[in-house]
Amino acid sequence: YGFSSVCFCTENGSNKLSLYFIFEKDFEGSVMVKVFNKQNIEIGRVKQQIKGKKDDAAYFDFVFDSRTNIDPKYTIIIE
């Protein structure tokens, strides 16, 4: 992909997920983030354009549908 994500932040019960990306090379493109609950059932997904230069790092906020409550124990998949 050209990036790695090293951490995520969310407020319990929130629908906003902040992901910290470290860019291993120049990257500009679409990133899909999916959230799976404890039963491994997908409860939300969002696609967003991000852009970064090699060796840069930044937080990007992914806002899901307001009905998606992201628990810190849920599984986050980045594609």
Side-chain angles (χ1 to χ4, degrees):
Y1 291 113
F3 61 82
S4 59
S5 176
V6 295
C7 75
F8 71 90
C9 307
T10 186
E11 295 177 21
N12 198 15
S14 173
N15 68 326
K16 182 174 85 170
L17 184 66
S18 298
L19 293 172
Y20 185 72
F21 287 90
I22 299 172
F23 294 94
E24 299 162 354
K25 60 183 181 181
D26 290 356
F27 179 85
E28 183 174 357
S30 181
V31 174
M32 169 122 22
V33 179
K34 299 177 183 177
V35 178
F36 293 83
N37 65 15
K38 294 175 187 175
Q39 292 77 33
N40 205 30
I41 296 170
E42 182 179 330
I43 61 164
R45 68 170 66 187
V46 67
K47 188 185 285 189
Q48 180 173 311
Q49 291 285 96
I50 66 169
K51 179 178 180 180
K53 297 280 187 190
K54 182 181 187 303
D55 296 326
D56 281 353
Y59 280 98
F60 292 88
D61 292 333
F62 292 81
V63 180
F64 291 78
D65 182 281
S66 62
R67 295 166 287 192
T68 305
N69 292 321
I70 303 168
D71 187 292
K73 297 177 184 172
Y74 287 177
T75 302
I76 309 297
I77 303 293
I78 303 168
E79 300 176 339

